[in-house]
Amino acid sequence: AAALPGIRRAALAQRIPLSGSGGGATVAVEFPGLKLPENERRAGLKYNRVSPGYFEAMGTRILRGRGFTESDHARAQRVALISETLERRYFPDGGALDRSLLIEGHETRIAGVVEDARINWNHERPEPFVYLPFAQRSSGDATLIVESDGDPAALAPSVKAAIHESAPG
Protein backbone atom coordinates (compact mmCIF):
# COMPACT_ATOMS: atom_id res chain seq x y z
CA ALA A 1 0.00 0.00 0.00
CA ALA A 2 2.84 2.41 0.80
CA ALA A 3 4.12 2.17 -2.78
CA LEU A 4 0.81 3.18 -4.37
CA PRO A 5 0.53 6.62 -5.99
CA GLY A 6 -1.12 9.17 -3.70
CA ILE A 7 -0.18 7.38 -0.48
CA ARG A 8 2.15 9.28 1.80
CA ARG A 9 2.52 6.67 4.56
CA ALA A 10 1.18 3.26 5.48
CA ALA A 11 1.57 1.27 8.68
CA LEU A 12 -0.04 -1.54 10.66
CA ALA A 13 -1.40 -1.51 14.19
CA GLN A 14 -3.06 -4.18 16.26
CA ARG A 15 -5.38 -1.48 17.57
CA ILE A 16 -5.94 2.05 16.37
CA PRO A 17 -6.57 4.86 18.85
CA LEU A 18 -10.13 6.01 19.55
CA SER A 19 -11.59 2.98 17.76
CA GLY A 20 -13.02 1.12 20.74
CA SER A 21 -10.88 -1.82 19.64
CA GLY A 22 -9.52 -2.98 22.96
CA GLY A 23 -7.53 -0.07 24.33
CA GLY A 24 -7.63 -1.84 27.67
CA ALA A 25 -5.53 -4.87 26.64
CA THR A 26 -2.50 -5.28 28.90
CA VAL A 27 0.87 -6.97 28.83
CA ALA A 28 2.92 -8.11 31.85
CA VAL A 29 5.92 -5.83 32.41
CA GLU A 30 8.63 -6.09 35.07
CA PHE A 31 11.23 -3.43 35.89
CA PRO A 32 14.50 -5.17 36.80
CA GLY A 33 17.07 -3.07 38.59
CA LEU A 34 14.66 -0.32 39.64
CA LYS A 35 14.03 0.39 43.29
CA LEU A 36 10.26 0.25 43.29
CA PRO A 37 7.71 -0.63 45.95
CA GLU A 38 6.88 -4.35 45.88
CA ASN A 39 3.44 -3.74 44.36
CA GLU A 40 4.93 -1.79 41.41
CA ARG A 41 7.74 -4.16 40.36
CA ARG A 42 5.37 -5.98 38.02
CA ALA A 43 2.54 -4.24 36.20
CA GLY A 44 -0.09 -4.99 33.61
CA LEU A 45 0.40 -2.12 31.19
CA LYS A 46 -1.68 -1.16 28.19
CA TYR A 47 0.07 -1.80 24.89
CA ASN A 48 -0.17 -1.90 21.12
CA ARG A 49 1.74 -3.81 18.44
CA VAL A 50 2.69 -1.54 15.53
CA SER A 51 4.84 -1.55 12.41
CA PRO A 52 7.58 0.82 11.31
CA GLY A 53 6.03 4.11 10.20
CA TYR A 54 3.13 3.92 12.67
CA PHE A 55 4.16 6.96 14.71
CA GLU A 56 4.72 9.07 11.61
CA ALA A 57 1.36 8.00 10.11
CA MET A 58 -0.45 8.80 13.35
CA GLY A 59 1.38 12.09 13.91
CA THR A 60 2.84 10.88 17.22
CA ARG A 61 6.21 12.45 18.00
CA ILE A 62 9.15 10.33 19.07
CA LEU A 63 10.63 12.42 21.88
CA ARG A 64 13.85 10.46 22.45
CA GLY A 65 15.47 7.49 20.79
CA ARG A 66 14.08 5.96 17.63
CA GLY A 67 10.98 4.40 16.13
CA PHE A 68 10.70 0.83 14.92
CA THR A 69 12.56 -0.21 11.77
CA GLU A 70 12.66 -3.24 9.50
CA SER A 71 15.69 -4.43 11.50
CA ASP A 72 13.39 -5.03 14.51
CA HIS A 73 12.48 -8.50 13.23
CA ALA A 74 11.74 -11.76 15.06
CA ARG A 75 15.41 -12.76 15.41
CA ALA A 76 16.64 -9.33 16.55
CA GLN A 77 16.99 -8.08 20.11
CA ARG A 78 13.52 -7.36 21.49
CA VAL A 79 12.71 -3.67 21.71
CA ALA A 80 9.84 -1.49 22.89
CA LEU A 81 8.89 2.16 22.81
CA ILE A 82 7.28 3.66 25.89
CA SER A 83 5.02 6.63 26.49
CA GLU A 84 6.27 9.73 28.24
CA THR A 85 3.88 8.99 31.14
CA LEU A 86 5.44 5.54 31.60
CA GLU A 87 8.91 7.14 31.62
CA ARG A 88 7.86 9.76 34.20
CA ARG A 89 6.31 7.14 36.47
CA TYR A 90 9.04 4.47 36.40
CA PHE A 91 12.11 6.50 35.38
CA PRO A 92 11.44 9.90 37.03
CA ASP A 93 15.00 11.11 36.44
CA GLY A 94 14.75 10.26 32.73
CA GLY A 95 17.26 7.80 31.42
CA ALA A 96 14.77 5.18 30.21
CA LEU A 97 16.53 4.79 26.85
CA ASP A 98 18.46 1.52 26.49
CA ARG A 99 17.18 0.28 29.87
CA SER A 100 15.76 -3.22 30.02
CA LEU A 101 12.25 -4.33 30.84
CA LEU A 102 10.91 -7.85 31.10
CA ILE A 103 7.85 -8.03 28.87
CA GLU A 104 6.01 -11.32 29.15
CA GLY A 105 9.25 -12.68 30.63
CA HIS A 106 11.44 -11.58 27.69
CA GLU A 107 14.26 -9.07 28.12
CA THR A 108 13.29 -6.04 26.05
CA ARG A 109 15.35 -2.88 25.48
CA ILE A 110 13.67 0.53 25.51
CA ALA A 111 14.51 2.01 22.09
CA GLY A 112 12.47 5.20 22.34
CA VAL A 113 10.06 7.41 24.24
CA VAL A 114 6.98 8.76 22.46
CA GLU A 115 4.55 11.47 23.37
CA ASP A 116 1.38 10.40 25.11
CA ALA A 117 -1.50 9.57 22.78
CA ARG A 118 -5.23 9.28 23.35
CA ILE A 119 -6.08 5.58 23.37
CA ASN A 120 -9.81 5.20 24.12
CA TRP A 121 -11.32 8.69 24.06
CA ASN A 122 -10.27 12.31 23.59
CA HIS A 123 -10.52 13.45 27.21
CA GLU A 124 -8.75 10.61 29.00
CA ARG A 125 -5.76 11.12 31.28
CA PRO A 126 -2.52 9.73 29.86
CA GLU A 127 -1.52 6.33 31.22
CA PRO A 128 1.74 4.36 31.00
CA PHE A 129 1.74 2.70 27.59
CA VAL A 130 4.07 0.28 25.75
CA TYR A 131 4.49 -0.15 21.98
CA LEU A 132 5.87 -3.41 20.61
CA PRO A 133 7.02 -4.08 17.04
CA PHE A 134 4.68 -6.29 15.02
CA ALA A 135 7.57 -8.28 13.56
CA GLN A 136 8.78 -9.37 17.02
CA ARG A 137 5.40 -10.22 18.51
CA SER A 138 2.97 -10.91 15.71
CA SER A 139 -0.77 -10.74 16.05
CA GLY A 140 -3.64 -11.99 13.93
CA ASP A 141 -5.36 -8.64 14.42
CA ALA A 142 -4.13 -5.80 12.24
CA THR A 143 -5.48 -2.54 10.93
CA LEU A 144 -3.89 -0.87 7.93
CA ILE A 145 -3.39 2.85 8.48
CA VAL A 146 -2.98 4.89 5.32
CA GLU A 147 -2.18 8.59 5.04
CA SER A 148 -3.00 9.94 1.59
CA ASP A 149 -2.37 13.10 -0.39
CA GLY A 150 -5.96 13.31 -1.59
CA ASP A 151 -9.37 11.77 -1.08
CA PRO A 152 -8.84 8.50 0.83
CA ALA A 153 -12.08 7.02 -0.54
CA ALA A 154 -10.72 7.38 -4.08
CA LEU A 155 -7.66 5.32 -3.11
CA ALA A 156 -9.62 2.52 -1.40
CA PRO A 157 -9.97 0.31 -4.52
CA SER A 158 -6.22 0.36 -5.24
CA VAL A 159 -5.39 -0.32 -1.57
CA LYS A 160 -7.82 -3.26 -1.52
CA ALA A 161 -6.28 -4.63 -4.72
CA ALA A 162 -2.76 -4.35 -3.24
CA ILE A 163 -3.86 -6.24 -0.12
CA HIS A 164 -5.51 -9.00 -2.15
CA GLU A 165 -2.45 -9.26 -4.40
CA SER A 166 -0.03 -9.62 -1.46
CA ALA A 167 -2.29 -11.89 0.61
CA PRO A 168 -4.84 -13.59 -1.68
CA GLY A 169 -6.37 -15.71 1.12
Side-chain angles (χ1 to χ4, degrees), residues 8 11 44 67 93 96 102 112:
R8 222 181 271 156
D93 297 329
L102 289 177

mmCIF file of all heavy atoms in Angstrom, residues 8 11 44 67 93 96 102 112:
data_model
loop_
_atom_site.group_PDB
_atom_site.id
_atom_site.type_symbol
_atom_site.label_atom_id
_atom_site.label_comp_id
_atom_site.label_asym_id
_atom_site.label_seq_id
_atom_site.Cartn_x
_atom_site.Cartn_y
_atom_site.Cartn_z
ATOM 1 N N ARG A 8 0.994 8.685 1.141
ATOM 2 C CA ARG A 8 2.153 9.278 1.799
ATOM 3 C C ARG A 8 2.818 8.291 2.748
ATOM 4 O O ARG A 8 4.036 8.166 2.779
ATOM 5 C CB ARG A 8 1.678 10.499 2.585
ATOM 6 C CG ARG A 8 2.606 11.673 2.467
ATOM 7 C CD ARG A 8 2.098 12.841 3.267
ATOM 8 N NE ARG A 8 1.216 13.633 2.425
ATOM 9 C CZ ARG A 8 0.277 14.425 2.880
ATOM 10 N NH1 ARG A 8 0.058 14.533 4.164
ATOM 11 N NH2 ARG A 8 -0.467 15.118 2.068
ATOM 12 N N ALA A 11 1.059 2.012 7.529
ATOM 13 C CA ALA A 11 1.575 1.268 8.684
ATOM 14 C C ALA A 11 0.488 0.316 9.170
ATOM 15 O O ALA A 11 -0.673 0.427 8.785
ATOM 16 C CB ALA A 11 1.981 2.235 9.799
ATOM 17 N N GLY A 44 0.621 -4.723 34.852
ATOM 18 C CA GLY A 44 -0.092 -4.993 33.611
ATOM 19 C C GLY A 44 -0.292 -3.663 32.924
ATOM 20 O O GLY A 44 -1.072 -2.831 33.390
ATOM 21 N N GLY A 67 12.170 5.201 16.385
ATOM 22 C CA GLY A 67 10.981 4.395 16.134
ATOM 23 C C GLY A 67 11.390 3.000 15.705
ATOM 24 O O GLY A 67 12.578 2.663 15.654
ATOM 25 N N ASP A 93 13.836 10.291 36.768
ATOM 26 C CA ASP A 93 14.999 11.114 36.445
ATOM 27 C C ASP A 93 15.364 11.013 34.974
ATOM 28 O O ASP A 93 16.454 11.397 34.569
ATOM 29 C CB ASP A 93 16.202 10.684 37.301
ATOM 30 C CG ASP A 93 15.943 10.907 38.778
ATOM 31 O OD1 ASP A 93 15.195 11.852 39.107
ATOM 32 O OD2 ASP A 93 16.468 10.138 39.596
ATOM 33 N N ALA A 96 15.413 6.456 30.541
ATOM 34 C CA ALA A 96 14.771 5.183 30.205
ATOM 35 C C ALA A 96 15.403 4.526 28.983
ATOM 36 O O ALA A 96 15.396 3.302 28.866
ATOM 37 C CB ALA A 96 13.278 5.392 29.959
ATOM 38 N N LEU A 102 11.310 -6.475 31.402
ATOM 39 C CA LEU A 102 10.906 -7.846 31.098
ATOM 40 C C LEU A 102 9.452 -7.767 30.663
ATOM 41 O O LEU A 102 8.580 -7.396 31.455
ATOM 42 C CB LEU A 102 11.047 -8.762 32.308
ATOM 43 C CG LEU A 102 12.473 -9.104 32.727
ATOM 44 C CD1 LEU A 102 12.462 -9.960 33.993
ATOM 45 C CD2 LEU A 102 13.201 -9.830 31.610
ATOM 46 N N GLY A 112 12.946 3.841 22.513
ATOM 47 C CA GLY A 112 12.472 5.202 22.342
ATOM 48 C C GLY A 112 11.365 5.556 23.309
ATOM 49 O O GLY A 112 10.750 4.683 23.921
#
